[in-house]
Amino acid sequence: MMPRIQIVTDSGARFSNPRLVRHFPVTILPNVIEIAGKRYLEDIDIDTERAFELIAAQGRPPIVAPPSEADYADLFARLSQVCDAIISVHPSRELTDSWKNGRLAAQQVSGRCEIAVVDSQSLCAGQGMLIRVAARAAREEETAEDVIQAVRQAVNRIYSVYCVDTVDFLRDNGFIQPSHAVLAAHLGIKPFISLEDGKIIVIEKVQSRAEVIERLVEFLVEFTELEDAVVLQDQKHITEETRLMQDRLALEFPGQHFPFTMYSATMAAFLGVHATGVAVLEKAVDEFDYDF
């Protein structure tokens, strides 16, 4: 009999296929986002578009509080009554306390249900990709241990890069030195950042929208095989930038789909509300097809 798996994550996650959470046992706990002194449950009290508007008007990063230890403990206790294992996928422990809260909560829940608390070492779409891995593995693998192993192994195959229009939020969050931020603003430089080992790192700088598209496409073509990929943008409807990128990628990856989605308000707290990025899940080496 297939194991009964429940999957947990927080509202900062984004998915290349949003229908995923409706077809699999995925529970999403909301982050609390404080903007201009008012607190909102992400995606419950406020949608992403409205959150971006308020964040832009405030002009500085909102405060994001992940689900608490008590929130996770209550959910884990309830889910453990109806499943064999819980896989809880969290944003990078380097950036939020979500993983720590989940770990402490799991220690409170006794019983036969195994609880795997996974640091995605990512944010936003990277989390969503691990949820998809977990959902597929839960459908295909014969044991809960195999499902958990599939998720943990996928962590190191997730890569994300973003180009950020302004340096304000990177400066305010301590990802770029104030002196560098002043120079970048003066020269009209757009930081190109990567999520590496769970940390936000500025890896290079570009100056034009054409360069943004070029760098993002160059990043993607470095991969031989993609299991999942998504374009992240700062609007609900497709931007011209995303459309141009999709056209370029259709030539580089015939038959590969590159859906787009708006990145989460949680992600905007780190990068600001004007960014474009891509996230990929590289196919595992043993899944490659070799012609020999």
Side-chain angles (χ1 to χ4, degrees):
M1 190 172 80
M2 302 297 290
R4 297 171 299 168
I5 307 290
Q6 292 285 332
I7 304 166
V8 172
T9 195
D10 66 49
S11 58
R14 286 297 179 266
F15 305 93
S16 57
N17 180 2
R19 293 191 298 274
L20 176 76
V21 295
R22 297 199 293 268
H23 296 298
F24 293 96
V26 179
T27 302
I28 298 176
L29 285 176
N31 294 323
V32 176
I33 300 180
E34 183 177 323
I35 309 171
K38 187 170 181 179
R39 293 160 63 88
Y40 305 89
L41 295 177
E42 185 176 22
D43 295 337
I44 296 177
D45 296 332
I46 189 169
D47 64 22
T48 308
E49 288 182 291
R50 181 58 178 158
F52 273 42
E53 291 174 3
L54 294 179
I55 292 169
Q58 177 178 246
R60 64 178 186 275
I63 298 170
V64 178
S68 68
E69 178 183 339
D71 292 331
Y72 281 117
D74 179 65
L75 178 61
F76 291 165
R78 287 189 284 110
L79 294 179
S80 67
Q81 303 300 312
V82 296
C83 67
D84 302 309
I86 297 168
I87 300 175
S88 189
V89 177
H90 300 259
S92 168
R93 74 180 80 176
E94 300 285 345
L95 300 171
T96 85
D97 287 335
S98 178
W99 178 85
K100 182 183 74 173
N101 292 345
R103 289 274 291 181
L104 292 172
Q107 295 169 9
Q108 299 178 31
V109 180
S110 59
R112 297 173 56 188
C113 177
E114 183 172 2
I115 303 175
V117 180
V118 179
D119 177 0
S120 70
Q121 296 184 26
S122 187
L123 283 168
C124 197
Q127 283 174 258
M129 288 174 178
L130 284 187
I131 300 301
R132 185 173 181 176
V133 169
R136 188 179 73 172
R139 189 175 55 197
E140 297 175 353
E141 302 294 344
E142 295 184 356
T143 69
E145 290 71 22
D146 288 339
V147 178
I148 293 168
Q149 184 180 27
V151 175
R152 293 196 184 281
Q153 289 177 343
V155 168
N156 293 324
R157 295 188 280 116
I158 291 174
Y159 303 86
S160 303
V161 293
Y162 290 80
C163 187
V164 183
D165 269 11
T166 63
V167 297
D168 298 348
F169 280 33
L170 294 177
R171 177 200 61 212
D172 293 347
N173 284 308
F175 301 130
I176 188 171
Q177 295 180 10
S179 59
H180 292 174
V182 171
L183 182 62
H186 178 70
L187 297 176
I189 290 172
K190 305 175 190 299
F192 201 77
I193 69 102
S194 174
L195 277 161
E196 299 180 7
D197 299 322
K199 300 177 182 178
I200 291 176
I201 307 292
V202 178
I203 55 175
E204 64 174 304
K205 302 173 182 70
V206 299
Q207 288 188 295
S208 70
R209 305 310 295 174
E211 276 189 277
V212 172
I213 297 171
E214 191 65 32
R215 291 293 182 272
L216 292 173
V217 172
E218 286 177 358
F219 167 77
L220 285 165
V221 298
E222 292 178 2
F223 296 95
T224 305
E225 296 281 348
L226 301 178
E227 182 176 327
D228 199 359
V230 63
V231 178
L232 288 309
Q233 57 174 46
D234 54 17
Q235 300 176 31
K236 181 178 180 180
H237 301 290
I238 190 167
T239 64
E240 183 62 20
E241 194 169 72
T242 295
R243 195 183 304 278
L244 289 170
M245 244 197 320
Q246 287 179 330
D247 290 343
R248 287 281 308 277
L249 292 170
L251 298 175
E252 300 286 351
F253 296 91
Q256 177 83 40
H257 183 46
F258 289 89
F260 71 91
T261 188
M262 193 173 181
Y263 59 91
S264 62
T266 292
M267 191 65 167
F270 294 99
L271 303 185
V273 296
H274 300 293
T276 304
V278 292
V280 302
L281 172 63
E282 187 177 27
K283 190 173 289 187
V285 172
D286 59 3
E287 294 179 27
F288 289 172
D289 294 323
Y290 296 104
D291 295 327
F292 52 70

